[in-house]
Amino acid sequence: MTVKIESSWKSHLEPEFEKDYFKSLVSFLRDEYATKTIYPPGSKIFNAFDHCPFQKLKVVIVGQDPYHGPGQANGLCFSVADGVRQPPSLQNIFKEVQKDLGQPVPQSGNLERWADQGVLLLNATLTVEARKAGSHQNRGWEQFTDTVLQLVSDKKENIVFILWGAYAQKKGAFLDQQKHLILKSPHPSPFSAHSGFFGSKPFSRANQYLSSKGLTPINW
């Protein structure tokens, strides 16, 4: 089965595309995209991988679901397309970047600039029906993205995993803490950001770790 995904990821994930669960997922998605409004656009489903080749990978940020409002989701967790109003969680992420690093808040919420530097912005579920949060959960995406995390944990070294909130932390529970840096805090959502997300300094801590391993830090 042909899946359009960046070549270095494809070489590692090819066996996954032949498994029954993934074939069922593809069949489900074909029907969904043909009959409903689904986000992100089909060409952007694997955008997180396309902007961040396996060999460039330095940081993984784990999200849950794509945004389900018009024009928001662009295939990267927490990210929105250029010109789209920044959702509250993303606004809080940028506030923490500002406090942590003293940088101005970006005008654009498009995080492709992070992905291009080696940040994999991975949602647990890569698609969603318009205005129906969680509508594509338990269809196979979680198994696929667990495989991605396991692959990175096993095959790479000195990766920074940033796990915001209980869902991401549970999903990343198996990551190898001996080989990688695991940063955990509450979610940047307005409901939890003041409970420990603000002040957690994930961006400077990630860069300090990367620098200590001889790697170029991320320009957040």
Side-chain angles (χ1 to χ4, degrees):
M1 185 168 59
T2 302
V3 175
K4 292 181 179 178
I5 190 171
E6 192 275 333
S7 59
S8 63
W9 285 105
K10 189 168 188 174
S11 66
H12 287 289
L13 294 169
E14 195 98 62
E16 212 64 19
F17 302 145
E18 299 303 324
K19 292 182 179 178
D20 288 343
Y21 88 88
F22 198 88
K23 291 179 179 179
S24 296
L25 172 62
V26 169
S27 178
F28 165 74
L29 290 174
R30 283 190 180 128
D31 289 343
E32 290 285 286
Y33 273 93
T35 60
K36 301 172 184 175
T37 300
I38 306 298
Y39 299 127
S43 62
K44 298 278 191 180
I45 291 174
F46 294 111
N47 204 28
F49 301 89
D50 295 339
H51 278 272
C52 180
F54 189 77
Q55 64 272 17
K56 284 183 63 177
L57 181 62
K58 297 177 184 177
V59 178
V60 179
I61 299 179
V62 176
Q64 189 167 358
D65 258 19
Y67 297 121
H68 53 87
Q72 289 182 305
N74 68 346
L76 312 177
C77 70
F78 298 106
S79 173
V80 291
D82 289 315
V84 175
R85 185 175 178 274
Q86 297 171 11
S89 289
L90 183 57
Q91 291 178 30
N92 286 339
I93 288 169
F94 286 158
K95 286 177 185 176
E96 180 62 15
V97 171
Q98 184 182 38
K99 290 181 180 178
D100 187 10
L101 301 174
Q103 296 179 189
V105 172
Q107 295 298 305
S108 172
N110 191 339
L111 301 181
E112 288 178 355
R113 62 185 181 276
W114 289 6
D116 290 336
Q117 297 178 75
V119 182
L120 180 67
L121 294 153
L122 182 69
N123 273 319
T125 304
L126 300 190
T127 54
V128 69
E129 184 179 346
R131 300 179 183 84
K132 291 188 178 181
S135 51
H136 284 187
Q137 291 177 1
N138 304 313
R139 290 288 184 167
W141 277 131
E142 293 91 343
Q143 184 174 343
F144 174 73
T145 52
D146 279 351
T147 299
V148 171
L149 291 173
Q150 189 74 65
L151 171 70
V152 174
S153 183
D154 291 347
K155 299 288 187 183
K156 302 285 283 186
E157 292 183 357
N158 305 327
I159 299 295
V160 181
F161 289 92
I162 299 178
L163 308 177
W164 289 325
Y167 182 90
Q169 289 163 28
K170 183 177 178 181
K171 189 170 180 68
F174 60 81
L175 298 170
D176 189 339
Q177 299 185 46
Q178 305 303 313
K179 293 169 59 183
H180 309 290
L181 177 65
I182 317 295
L183 298 179
K184 301 177 183 180
S185 82
H187 196 276
S189 154
F191 300 107
S192 55
H194 290 280
S195 301
F197 172 76
F198 288 133
S200 60
K201 300 187 175 182
F203 309 105
S204 62
R205 291 165 71 193
N207 280 352
Q208 287 164 8
Y209 178 82
L210 293 172
S211 295
S212 76
K213 301 298 180 181
L215 300 168
T216 305
I218 304 299
N219 179 7
W220 300 103

